[in-house]
């Protein structure tokens, strides 16, 4: 379970207290149907302070958890990497910036870029609750897809590409690559989100960047036909979620797709678990993406001792075998 940092939870509670729950609920309903309809947005989806608050309440815990999980894969793949600056592109209320600061305590300078001023204002208010100087002192800048991205060691592009046309997606990636930094693209874990990630992956490779997550190789994706690469991040449901989805579980799995690339040599990731492991008596079965650019089924029996104990501990999205 990926809980929100306490400071972010406190900030959200304080910021949301000013909005009547019924207005938040109707804001969430409107956003849910806007996001479900999919496709590039011809006008900003976040149109008012209520929309921004509803987005923060309804989506920030999930997008925080997804970006946190994506960047965990990076921190494990390149453990010595310590980025100092972040540009969070289409950063909205700053969920990815919070996740990046949690993943990389080395971050000192954070810039959040978005077209919606109300989202940036809301995000700045939330960030004041953080004890991290990088978040408290973050720059919150109006920005439109097509404009340059400020140079940074890490550029996060989380849940943005789906709101852009393919041409805009390409322009944003080109601007991100011009920073010379690592690029992390996170999208919903749907077949469509995966397709956008695949296109981004191709552009990152063509530029000469090295894929560091999730792929344990620099080759074509073996899931390209008939499947899609995605991972889960378990998120506690907020009070608002529970109100909207009465009677359901206290948590949900946010599925996300990702690609992260940076200049430099490939990391030594042996393989990546692609599905929930299956357990039978004295047997664990893992579906793995391998360093050879293929998928394989690893069956690990109790007789294998330490390897079996390791297999029982891994989860969907972890490296396999553990490094
Ligand atoms: C789904 S939200 C994601 C926000 C944040 N990255 C997160 O993960 O929670 C998409 C964000 O992209 C911004 N956005 C969409 N189209 C944009 C554009 N053409 N130029 C700049 N920002 C844009 C929206 O304003 C919104 O804040």
């Amino acid at each position: 379970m990926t809980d929100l940092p306490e400071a972010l939870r406190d900030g959200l509670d304080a910021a949301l207290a000013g909005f009547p729950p019924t207005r938040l609920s109707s804001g969430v309903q409107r956003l849910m149907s806007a996001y479900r309809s999919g496709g590039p947005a011809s006008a900003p989806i976040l149109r008012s302070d209520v929309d921004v608050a509803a987005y923060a309440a309804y989506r920030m815990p999930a997008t925080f958890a997804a970006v946190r999980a994506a960047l965990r894969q990076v921190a494990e793949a390149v453990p010595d990497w310590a980025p100092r600056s972040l540009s969070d592109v289409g950063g909205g209320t700053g969920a990815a910036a919070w996740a990046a600061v949690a993943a990389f305590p080395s971050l000192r300078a954070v810039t959040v870029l978005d077209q919606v001023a109300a989202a940036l204002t809301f995000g700045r208010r939330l960030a004041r609750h953080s004890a991290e100087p990088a978040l408290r002192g973050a720059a919150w800048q109006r920005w439109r897809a097509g404009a340059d991205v400020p140079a940074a060691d890490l550029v996060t592009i989380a849940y943005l590409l789906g709101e852009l046309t393919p041409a805009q997606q390409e322009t944003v990636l080109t601007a991100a690559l011009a920073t010379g930094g690592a690029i992390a693209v996170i999208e919903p874990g749907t077949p469509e989100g995966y397709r956008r990630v695949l296109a981004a992956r191709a552009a990152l490779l063509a530029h000469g960047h090295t894929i560091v997550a999730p792929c344990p190789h620099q080759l074509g994706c073996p899931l390209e036909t008939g499947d899609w690469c995605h991972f889960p991040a378990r998120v506690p449901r907020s009070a608002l979620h529970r109100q909207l989805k009465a009677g359901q579980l206290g948590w949900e799995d946010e599925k996300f797709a990702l690609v992260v690339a940076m200049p430099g040599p490939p990391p030594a990731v042996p393989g990546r678990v692609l599905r929930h492991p299956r357990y039978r008596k004295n047997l664990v079965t893992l579906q793995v993406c391998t360093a050879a650019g293929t998928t394989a089924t690893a069956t690990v029996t109790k007789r294998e001792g330490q390897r079996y104990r390791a297999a029982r501990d891994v989860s969907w999205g972890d490296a396999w075998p553990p490094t």
Side-chain angles (χ1 to χ4, degrees), residues 35 41 44-46 55 59-60 63-64 67 88-96 113-116 119 143-146 156-161 163-164 168 172 186:
Y35 289 131
I45 292 175
L46 304 178
Y55 179 84
R59 285 302 294 155
M60 265 187 101
T63 58
F64 170 87
V67 180
D88 181 20
V89 177
T93 51
L113 306 157
D114 204 279
Q115 65 180 353
V116 175
W143 172 92
R144 280 207 51 100
T156 44
I157 307 174
Y159 293 86
L160 168 66
L161 297 184
E163 294 189 19
L164 305 179
Q168 285 176 314
V172 166
I186 295 99

Side-chain angles (χ1 to χ4, degrees), residues 26 36 75 84 119 139 146 159 171 207 213 215 232 247 254 263 277 284 296 298 323:
S26 55
R36 275 202 199 114
R84 295 184 65 79
Y159 293 86
T171 313
H207 184 82
C215 326
E254 169 72 9
V284 182
T323 43

Side-chain angles (χ1 to χ4, degrees), residues 29 169 176 299:
Q29 300 289 4
Q169 294 173 28
T299 45

Side-chain angles (χ1 to χ4, degrees), residues 280-305:
R280 269 185 293 146
K281 198 169 185 295
N282 301 336
L283 186 74
V284 182
T285 307
L286 302 171
Q287 198 64 32
V288 180
C289 185
T290 74
T294 57
T295 55
T297 304
T299 45
V300 188
T301 65
K302 194 168 185 181
R303 263 188 250 128
E304 293 175 76

Side-chain angles (χ1 to χ4, degrees), residues 164-222:
L164 305 179
T165 63
Q168 285 176 314
Q169 294 173 28
E170 218 178 297
T171 313
V172 166
L173 277 172
T174 304
L177 280 164
T179 65
I183 316 289
V185 176
I186 295 99
E187 283 287 297
T190 57
E192 297 75 27
Y194 165 67
R195 294 278 149 213
R196 290 189 289 273
V197 161
L198 264 193
R201 184 180 187 272
L204 297 170
L205 280 171
H207 184 82
H209 267 37
T210 302
I211 308 297
V212 295
C215 326
H217 60 83
Q218 309 297 311
L219 306 164
C221 176

Side-chain angles (χ1 to χ4, degrees), residues 105-160:
S106 55
L107 283 172
R108 293 289 172 271
V110 169
T111 305
V112 183
L113 306 157
D114 204 279
Q115 65 180 353
V116 175
L120 297 169
T121 303
F122 193 98
R124 183 187 282 116
R125 276 175 66 195
L126 291 181
R128 285 200 198 112
H129 288 258
S130 173
E132 298 291 340
L135 280 170
R136 294 179 69 84
W140 299 81
Q141 277 181 24
R142 276 306 271 287
W143 172 92
R144 280 207 51 100
D148 288 348
V149 171
D153 298 336
L154 171 62
V155 178
T156 44
I157 307 174
Y159 293 86
L160 168 66

